[in-house]
Amino acid sequence: MTDQTPQVRLERAKEASRATAALTSDDKARALEAIASALEANAETIIAANARDIERGQADGIGDSLIDRLRLDEKRVSALAAAVREVAALPDPVGRVVGGHRMPNGVALEQVRVPFGVVGAIYEARPNVTVDIAALALRSGNAAVLRGGSAARDSNTVLVEVMRDALSEAGITPEAIQTVDDFGREGAKALMHGRGFIDVLVPRGSAGLIETVVTESTVPVIETGAGNVHIVLDESAPDDWARDIVVNAKVQRPSVCNAVETVLVHRQAAPRLVPLVASALQSEGVAIHGDDIVAGLVSNVIPATEEDWATEYLSLDIAIKVVDTLDDALEHIRRYSTGHTESIVTTDSRNAERFLAEVDSAVVMANTSTRFTDGGEFGFGAEVGISTQKLHTRGPMGLAELTSTKWLARGAGQTRG
């Protein structure tokens, strides 16, 4: 790919989107199987490129959470290929009838799903997103233009080359997958200002990156927000549920957006639950930032500041606060949440249902780990991202969220009087 301007890439993606929109479901599944097989066949090359990115990232001091997101090993490459095959096996949303009726004059109306056209993505240090978005875009009949950032430069270059070659071998235009990484900031700017070429743009990454894309873009953006995620331990929370859910939500993979960042504990349960949960977290290497009550119940607590309640740590850090009532917990969440995911641990069904009804986040849970907020876990295969906005889509985004609709009208000579 030696084009001299990002504009050329956008134009080619737009042209390719007409071809991908016309592909049959079998064509698209065949293309994705070719990509999955190519990822497996080229695993050594992909991992070697990723090692160069890891080495550069460590030298640049980008931080452990980004290094974790950046890393591709044999297991993760295999998981990428498996995710592509899962997407290929999903029902094709294109052409699905979502509504319709017959007008009084006899004209039959039908609302059907159609591809967006060209899906753009701006993200950082996430080579898995390169594959996920390309696969979801193709399965939903779209073309994709990707800007994956400098941290994953070598990984993304190889991944895009592998996927484009696989499409060519499958007899499908490789121009359906484009990257503007080699243009740096100019590539990102072209995506954000690509009116007429980019039909929807999805940012994934830090709060700063997302804010930049949302405020600077002249194309439609689906905002995938940061994850300042909360778990509330209600007065009736069982010991084992509270401990296991919080530890899983924090420790299993702390660098991702569905990891819990703040735990709110009901005052009546604090003497019972705070030492138990804190001990389990500390045994896993988690640093606890707590209020005065927490510090009085647990040793080695970092005094929490106002900033802690608003922080998405993305690391083995967690904030714990004792609240007097469920109302106080709800108020805290309203003030500090980014609208991603919140969960309550309780055996009081009224409190559980109240929490589910009143919390205004993309995903609201009762008695389960926030780590389940994920397109794969929800059965969508790979995911484009987790939308925290309210227009077009909200929560984990799968195939259907990469389509729009159009109305088909079938008449027999009717005219409007």
Side-chain angles (χ1 to χ4, degrees):
M1 299 179 71
T2 58
D3 312 304
Q4 297 305 305
T5 69
Q7 187 67 24
V8 172
R9 306 267 176 91
L10 269 59
E11 291 170 357
R12 290 182 176 179
K14 190 66 174 180
E15 184 177 351
S17 71
R18 301 185 186 99
T20 55
L23 293 173
T24 67
S25 181
D26 287 345
D27 288 337
K28 291 181 282 189
R30 179 168 49 83
L32 292 180
E33 175 56 39
I35 286 175
S37 296
L39 290 171
E40 293 169 334
N42 290 276
E44 274 190 36
T45 304
I46 294 167
I47 294 168
N50 182 253
R52 295 193 293 273
D53 288 331
I54 294 289
E55 183 179 1
R56 189 172 59 253
Q58 290 172 333
D60 293 342
I62 65 174
D64 291 343
S65 64
L66 282 182
I67 290 293
D68 177 60
R69 291 186 174 192
L70 178 58
R71 191 179 303 279
L72 289 177
D73 52 23
E74 187 174 347
K75 182 178 179 181
R76 288 189 180 183
V77 173
S78 295
L80 283 178
V84 172
R85 289 193 173 99
E86 287 177 12
V87 172
L90 292 171
D92 189 342
V94 177
R96 187 181 304 165
V97 177
V98 296
H101 62 276
R102 187 173 295 275
M103 296 169 63
N105 63 8
V107 174
L109 297 176
E110 194 174 54
Q111 186 183 23
V112 299
R113 291 201 174 278
V114 295
F116 270 126
V118 179
V119 176
I122 298 178
Y123 50 101
E124 54 191 2
R126 290 168 166 87
N128 63 296
V129 174
T130 301
V131 177
D132 289 349
I133 290 185
L136 288 164
L138 286 169
R139 185 59 172 151
S140 52
N142 297 288
V145 183
L146 309 170
R147 163 65 172 141
S150 59
R153 181 184 64 214
D154 290 1
S155 305
N156 288 336
T157 297
V158 172
L159 288 169
V160 169
E161 288 175 355
V162 166
M163 292 190 293
R164 284 172 59 91
D165 288 346
L167 290 185
S168 293
E169 292 177 11
I172 292 169
T173 175
E175 307 298 349
I177 301 175
Q178 301 284 345
T179 177
V180 291
D181 274 349
D182 46 324
F183 298 107
R185 292 181 180 178
E186 284 303 308
K189 184 177 179 181
L191 276 173
M192 291 187 286
H193 293 220
R195 285 181 63 82
F197 298 98
I198 302 299
D199 294 287
V200 65
L201 181 59
V202 182
R204 287 187 64 177
S206 66
L209 179 145
I210 293 166
E211 180 67 17
T212 296
V213 174
V214 169
T215 56
E216 292 191 13
S217 292
T218 59
V219 300
V221 174
I222 295 178
E223 183 174 354
T224 59
N228 190 16
V229 171
H230 298 77
I231 292 178
V232 175
L233 302 183
D234 195 27
E235 183 177 3
S236 64
D239 289 1
D240 55 344
W241 289 11
R243 180 194 61 228
D244 295 347
I245 287 172
V246 171
V247 170
N248 177 261
K250 178 76 266 183
V251 173
Q252 192 210 28
R253 196 172 177 196
S255 66
V256 293
C257 60
N258 58 19
V260 65
E261 304 292 14
T262 296
V263 176
L264 303 172
V265 187
H266 193 287
R267 182 177 294 273
Q268 296 301 316
R272 173 173 60 91
L273 292 178
V274 169
L276 174 72
V277 172
S279 175
L281 288 167
Q282 289 174 331
S283 70
E284 297 285 349
V286 178
I288 295 175
H289 305 249
D291 63 11
D292 291 342
I293 299 176
V294 172
L297 294 168
V298 181
S299 59
N300 298 318
V301 170
I302 302 166
T305 66
E306 181 71 15
E307 184 179 357
D308 283 299
W309 311 130
T311 297
E312 182 187 19
Y313 295 110
L314 300 175
S315 63
L316 286 174
D317 291 83
I318 198 166
I320 302 180
K321 181 178 183 179
V322 174
V323 294
D324 289 333
T325 64
L326 179 58
D327 284 325
D328 292 335
L330 293 171
E331 177 56 34
H332 182 101
I333 290 170
R334 279 191 287 270
R335 181 172 180 182
Y336 295 103
S337 172
T338 55
H340 190 292
T341 302
E342 330 295 343
S343 184
I344 187 172
V345 182
T346 183
T347 57
D348 186 323
S349 61
R350 291 173 299 179
N351 285 351
E353 291 306 315
R354 183 184 172 202
F355 187 85
L356 293 170
E358 293 188 21
V359 173
D360 187 18
S361 292
V363 181
V364 188
M365 301 173 161
N367 298 322
T368 191
S369 171
T370 58
R371 286 284 289 122
F372 286 115
T373 298
D374 177 83
E377 294 292 331
F378 277 27
F380 303 159
E383 70 179 20
V384 179
I386 296 172
S387 170
T388 55
Q389 66 180 37
K390 297 184 181 181
L391 290 180
H392 178 65
T393 186
R394 198 179 192 193
M397 296 171 56
L399 287 175
E401 287 72 35
L402 286 184
T403 62
S404 182
T405 64
K406 69 179 180 183
W407 287 90
L408 307 179
R410 296 180 175 91
Q414 291 92 335
T415 60
R416 182 172 176 175

